[in-house]
């Protein structure tokens, strides 16, 4: 199994202290967390893309390019690239450049994106966002594979025998499809034989498991090799401590502050207590052995070979968060790497085709 540390670069007051970091400091924190993730032995670092409050992740290519310059080994992920909002030609140019600068360490996780404000900012409607996502994926996919492209597009000017530069470093780039609650992303991933990354954050396991089951069904329907089917999954929180009691009590202030924020914002509340959150959500909060056991339970239902955890402290004291990441890598990850399979493709940087 492989492990990613992921940030959406949320920028709101600390849920426990109420302190809002300056924007510059928040970006520096992301860079420091990426370097730490590589030092601790994580396999990937992901940066989200959102174009609305309270996120600072509107330019993931810029952030990932800086991270590429600070690191040497760790793979770089988008989480997710919101293709329904983007011109796929411009997106290709940015990401092909980043892939060269990182020497082939880039993976894309694509999706339509969430949020009314960012949809309105780009004049995308709920009725056309899935069509935009599918069209942009098709164009991006073809540009990565073809030296010239002709496409009669609906949502950007048509392309006629067009060349797009720079030509790729990785041929092709690996593209995952981010899936939260709808079948459209799952269907698109299965149709093209691409890996699927389940959000697996907001709800208990079952709705995500049902979408992964659907992915497997559609994968088989399209005739793809079952040995190449690949699933990744997110987690709702992380705190690895010596005992479960220590972990729950340390996480309790973060959970209660987040719960208050959800209620004040009118967001649906799924877990009313931290104990319920630890038990029924995908959060990895507990002793190392409890977390190993929980990942195994999810693996039995998902069959996933990639797992992401939170790169940010998210309200935990920085020292507690760092200790948790260190304990995860020293006591949890080795057991899971030994017992659970890796993805069925090379993880190391792919050398360019001459």
């Amino acid at each position: 199994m492989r492990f990613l540390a992921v940030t959406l670069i949320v920028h709101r007051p600390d849920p426990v202290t109420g302190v809002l970091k300056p924007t510059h400091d928040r970006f520096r924190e992301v860079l420091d967390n990426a370097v730490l993730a590589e030092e601790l032995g994580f396999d990937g670092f992901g940066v989200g893309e959102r174009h609305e409050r309270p996120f600072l992740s509107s330019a993931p290519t810029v952030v990932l390019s800086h991270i590429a310059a600070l690191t040497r080994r760790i793979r770089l992920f988008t989480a997710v690239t919101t293709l329904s909002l983007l011109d796929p030609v411009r997106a290709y140019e940015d990401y092909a450049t980043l892939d060269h600068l990182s020497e082939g360490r880039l993976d894309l996780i694509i999706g339509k994106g969430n949020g009314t404000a960012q949809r309105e900012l780009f004049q995308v409607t709920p009725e056309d966002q899935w069509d935009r996502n599918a069209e942009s994926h098709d164009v991006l996919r073809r540009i990565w594979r073809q030296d010239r492209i002709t496409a009669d597009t609906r949502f950007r000017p048509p392309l006629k025998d067009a060349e797009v530069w720079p030509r790729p470093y990785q041929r092709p780039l690996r593209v995952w499809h981010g899936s939260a609650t709808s079948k459209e992303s799952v269907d698109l991933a299965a149709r093209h034989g691409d890996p699927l990354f389940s959000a697996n954050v907001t709800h208990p396991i079952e709705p995500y498991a049902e979408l992964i089951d659907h992915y497997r069904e559609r994968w088989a329907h399209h005739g793809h090799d079952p040995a190449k089917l690949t699933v990744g999954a997110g987690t709702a929180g992380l705190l690895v401590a010596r005992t479960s009691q220590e972990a729950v009590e340390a996480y309790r202030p973060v959970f209660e502050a987040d719960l208050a924020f959800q209620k004040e914002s009118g967001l649906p509340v799924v877990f009313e207590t931290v104990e319920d959150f630890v038990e029924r959500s995908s959060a990895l909060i507990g002793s190392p052995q409890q977390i190993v056991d929980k990942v195994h339970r999810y693996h039995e239902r998902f069959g996933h070979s990639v797992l992401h955890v939170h790169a940010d402290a998210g309200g935990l004291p920085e020292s507690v968060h760092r200790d948790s990441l260190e304990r995860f890598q020293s006591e949890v990850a080795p057991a899971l790497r030994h017992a659970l399979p890796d993805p069925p493709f090379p993880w190391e940087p792919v050398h360019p085709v001459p």
Side-chain angles (χ1 to χ4, degrees):
M1 178 169 269
R2 298 285 184 159
F3 303 99
L4 316 180
V6 172
T7 178
L8 301 181
I9 320 186
V10 175
H11 190 232
R12 63 181 179 93
D14 183 287
V16 176
T17 67
V19 174
L20 179 66
K21 291 184 177 180
T23 298
H24 175 79
D25 291 355
R26 184 69 181 95
F27 278 124
R28 291 302 317 178
E29 183 178 55
V30 170
L31 301 178
D32 292 343
N33 286 343
V35 171
L36 175 63
E38 178 166 89
E39 291 174 351
L40 293 179
F42 280 89
D43 302 292
F45 190 87
V47 175
E49 179 182 338
R50 296 292 289 267
H51 300 269
E52 60 185 340
R53 289 177 180 268
F55 304 95
L56 299 177
S57 50
S58 58
T61 50
V62 178
V63 178
L64 287 169
S65 291
H66 198 144
I67 292 171
L70 297 174
T71 58
R72 291 293 177 267
R73 175 195 58 80
I74 199 165
R75 289 198 70 82
L76 308 175
F77 281 73
T78 64
V80 300
T81 296
T82 53
L83 275 186
S84 67
L85 309 180
L86 305 178
D87 181 329
V89 174
R90 191 70 186 94
Y92 166 84
E93 292 172 334
D94 285 345
Y95 283 113
T97 301
L98 169 55
D99 198 38
H100 277 277
L101 295 176
S102 68
E103 298 186 324
R105 289 189 281 146
L106 178 65
D107 276 53
L108 289 186
I109 306 176
I110 68 163
K112 72 168 179 61
N114 294 309
T116 301
Q118 67 176 7
R119 193 171 60 231
E120 292 175 350
L121 182 66
F122 287 89
Q123 297 185 333
V124 173
T125 69
E127 293 74 28
D128 69 19
Q129 60 184 349
W130 284 112
D131 290 339
R132 287 175 178 270
N133 187 63
E135 177 182 288
S136 292
H137 170 255
D138 177 67
V139 171
L140 182 76
R141 183 183 181 88
R142 291 174 59 193
I143 294 174
W144 220 282
R145 288 165 170 78
Q146 301 172 16
D147 290 336
R148 293 178 179 272
I149 176 175
T150 296
D152 187 18
T153 49
R154 289 175 55 201
F155 301 108
R156 59 144 288 125
L159 298 164
K160 184 175 181 181
D161 198 29
E163 289 185 290
V164 187
W165 291 87
R167 297 313 301 147
Y169 188 96
Q170 295 184 79
R171 300 195 183 193
L173 179 78
R174 186 160 48 244
V175 176
W176 303 66
H177 295 252
S179 167
T181 58
S182 56
K183 291 182 176 180
E184 284 85 351
S185 292
V186 170
D187 290 336
L188 195 62
R191 185 187 320 153
H192 290 282
D194 291 334
L196 182 75
F197 215 108
S198 172
N200 190 38
V201 169
T202 307
H203 302 284
I205 191 172
E206 198 51 40
Y208 304 112
E210 290 175 359
L211 284 173
I212 292 171
D213 288 344
H214 179 69
Y215 172 61
R216 294 181 182 279
E217 175 191 328
R218 300 311 297 168
W219 182 279
H221 171 80
H222 289 292
H224 300 302
D225 182 351
K228 294 183 178 179
L229 184 146
T230 308
V231 174
T235 56
L238 176 71
L239 206 171
V240 192
R242 187 176 59 85
T243 67
S244 61
Q245 293 83 359
E246 290 177 14
V248 171
E249 289 311 308
Y251 202 85
R252 188 181 300 278
V254 176
F255 174 83
E256 292 179 349
D258 285 341
L259 179 65
F261 175 79
Q262 292 171 19
K263 291 180 176 179
E264 291 168 6
S265 304
L267 299 172
V269 173
V270 179
F271 307 103
E272 289 280 359
T273 66
V274 68
E275 288 80 9
D276 188 34
F277 181 67
V278 171
E279 175 65 26
R280 293 196 305 122
S281 82
S282 62
L284 303 179
I285 299 169
S287 69
Q289 188 59 53
Q290 285 176 309
I291 289 172
V292 169
D293 293 342
K294 188 170 191 177
V295 174
H296 272 279
R297 291 199 303 273
Y298 269 76
H299 178 76
E300 289 174 4
R301 195 66 179 86
F302 289 174
H304 58 310
S305 55
V306 180
L307 178 76
H308 90 49
V309 300
H310 291 196
D312 300 320
L316 292 171
E318 292 292 339
S319 61
V320 172
H321 179 59
R322 180 173 181 129
D323 288 348
S324 175
L325 291 174
E326 290 176 347
R327 197 181 294 269
F328 180 89
Q329 278 298 332
S330 64
E331 301 183 45
V332 175
L336 295 174
R337 290 186 198 277
H338 176 74
L340 300 179
D342 278 350
F345 46 70
W347 195 265
E348 292 70 24
V350 178
H351 294 293
V353 176

